[in-house]
Structures are given as C-alpha cells and as structure tokens.
Amino acid sequence: DAGITQSPRHKVTETGTPVTLRCHQTENHRYMYWYRQDPGHGLRLIHYSYGVKDTDKGEVSDGYSVSRSKTEDFLLTLESATSSQTSVYFCAISEGRTDFYYEQYFGPGTRLTVT
Amino acid sequence: TQLLEQSPQFLSIQEGENLTVYCNSSSVFSSLQWYRQEPGEGPVLLVTVVTGGEVKKLKRLTFQFGDARKDSSLHITAAQPGDTGLYLCAGEEAGGSYIPTFGRGTSLIVHP
C-alpha cells in the first residue's frame, strides 16, 4: 500500500470556522491532489500540486486554499467553513506522467461535517 | 456534461452471476484507470489500460479498452460478496490537461 495518511480522519466543525486538513505521503511522489466525494457527484478535484509551492485549481476550488511547503505534505484549508463543504475529502498522490499515464493512490479520507 | 459516463449506476446481483460495467466518453483518452472503493475507504487502483483494443485480466476481472480509446468495460465472472464496492473509471483526455477525470462510478452489491 502507498504510504498516504490523512488527518484528522473525522471532524465536526461549526459554520464560519477555519479548518485545515493534512495529507502526508512517504512515497516522494511529485503530484498531490485533493478531492471531495459527494453522493451523485462522484470525485471532484479541488486543488492539485505538481511540486513544492506549485499548485493549481481544480473544478471546485471556490472556498478552498492549499499549500505545499514540503514534498511530503499537502494541506487543504477551508477559510470559513460552510455547510455545503460537508463531505468526504480524499488526498491522492501520483508519480506523474509515466509511460503516458497517471496512476493515483488515495488516502483513507477525512469525513468533515460542518454544522 | 460528464466527460466519462459510467453505467449502470447501481447493480445488485447474486453470488456467482457475471456482470459488465461500462465507461464511455465522446473523447479520446491517453489511458484509462479502473479503481474499486469499499465503504469508508479510499479508491484502490485495479488496472491501467493504454492501448486501443487492450484486454487485461486480474483474476476474475477482465478489463477492455475500446479500439478508439473512447470507452472501456469491466467484466466480472462469478461475482463474490467481496467484489462489492464502488467501481470508478478515470482517465486523461488525449491532448488535455494531464489531470485525470473520474466517472461517477457503478455501485455493485453482490449478495451471498
């Protein structure tokens, strides 16, 4: 199994509070991704990183920011949590373009509830 | 519009039955991955298909990539309760951003 951990695994927070989720990898992979998974929507990309300090937006980036100061850590921050951000958040890693494809390895997920 | 359409959305079958799930697009893909996700866990990579017409087998699972690289299928022979889960396809559009896009998945339940 790829060495990916996410913390916390579960969190309940109130509307308007800031929240930071952490993803940590031990594989030294270049790419890291944050997804959210909701019923009826599948996995949707929030932000991704292609190197230290190199990040870009995904399809649902509004209300989220990310930072990557070290290869192994990718942080997702909800500046002011809203109920619509209640979801399961997955971190994924990838070596990058290898023989014409990207294969991703996922963490165990963080279940976030915003009340 | 979803770039990758998966069908069926839900499938409930008895142990021992065969099944096929589909992943279709109007776009050409450089490669396509299949993942299985069990409740409460992250998706786990099963296979990558790259070449048009390619067939890969993983025990009772057979994966096929369409000749035009626009579609893929997953066939399970003699399904077992342990096959229960959400099956996701993902791929990178040829000439696209190199960021994989995911289908919404097929939820499979295999009853003993």
Side-chain angles (χ1 to χ4, degrees), chain A residues 4 14 21 27 30 35 45 58-59 62 64 73-74 76 83 103 112:
Chain A
I4 312 168
E14 294 184 348
L21 309 183
E27 306 296 320
R30 179 184 175 191
Y35 291 91
L45 183 65
E59 64 175 301
D62 286 349
Y64 301 95
D73 290 325
F74 193 32
L76 176 70
S83 58
E103 293 179 329
L112 176 68

Side-chain angles (χ1 to χ4, degrees), chain B residues 52-90:
Chain B
E54 182 177 5
V55 176
K56 283 192 173 179
K57 293 190 175 183
L58 186 65
K59 297 183 181 178
R60 294 175 293 99
L61 279 60
T62 301
F63 304 86
Q64 186 162 8
F65 202 14
D67 291 341
R69 291 186 290 131
K70 292 183 177 182
D71 55 86
S72 181
S73 63
L74 158 60
H75 182 80
I76 301 179
T77 302
Q80 299 177 0
D83 295 326
T84 293
L86 179 68
Y87 288 82
L88 296 159
C89 66

Side-chain angles (χ1 to χ4, degrees), chain A residues 37 90 97 101-104, chain B residues 31 33 35 37 48 98:
Chain A
Q37 188 174 39
F90 288 100
R97 191 170 181 80
Y101 54 87
Y102 289 78
E103 293 179 329
Q104 293 183 312
Chain B
S31 70
Q33 289 81 42
Y35 296 82
Q37 183 179 20
T48 294
Y98 306 126

Side-chain angles (χ1 to χ4, degrees), chain A residues 55-113:
Chain A
T55 64
D56 206 347
K57 296 179 180 180
E59 64 175 301
V60 291
S61 60
D62 286 349
Y64 301 95
S65 62
V66 291
S67 65
R68 191 171 178 196
S69 58
K70 297 185 290 185
T71 298
E72 57 266 35
D73 290 325
F74 193 32
L75 304 180
L76 176 70
T77 298
L78 290 65
E79 303 290 347
S80 178
T82 68
S83 58
S84 64
Q85 294 176 311
T86 291
S87 187
V88 181
Y89 291 85
F90 288 100
C91 173
I93 64 174
S94 171
E95 286 186 285
R97 191 170 181 80
T98 306
D99 292 342
F100 306 107
Y101 54 87
Y102 289 78
E103 293 179 329
Q104 293 183 312
Y105 301 91
F106 285 81
T110 294
R111 183 172 295 275
L112 176 68
T113 302

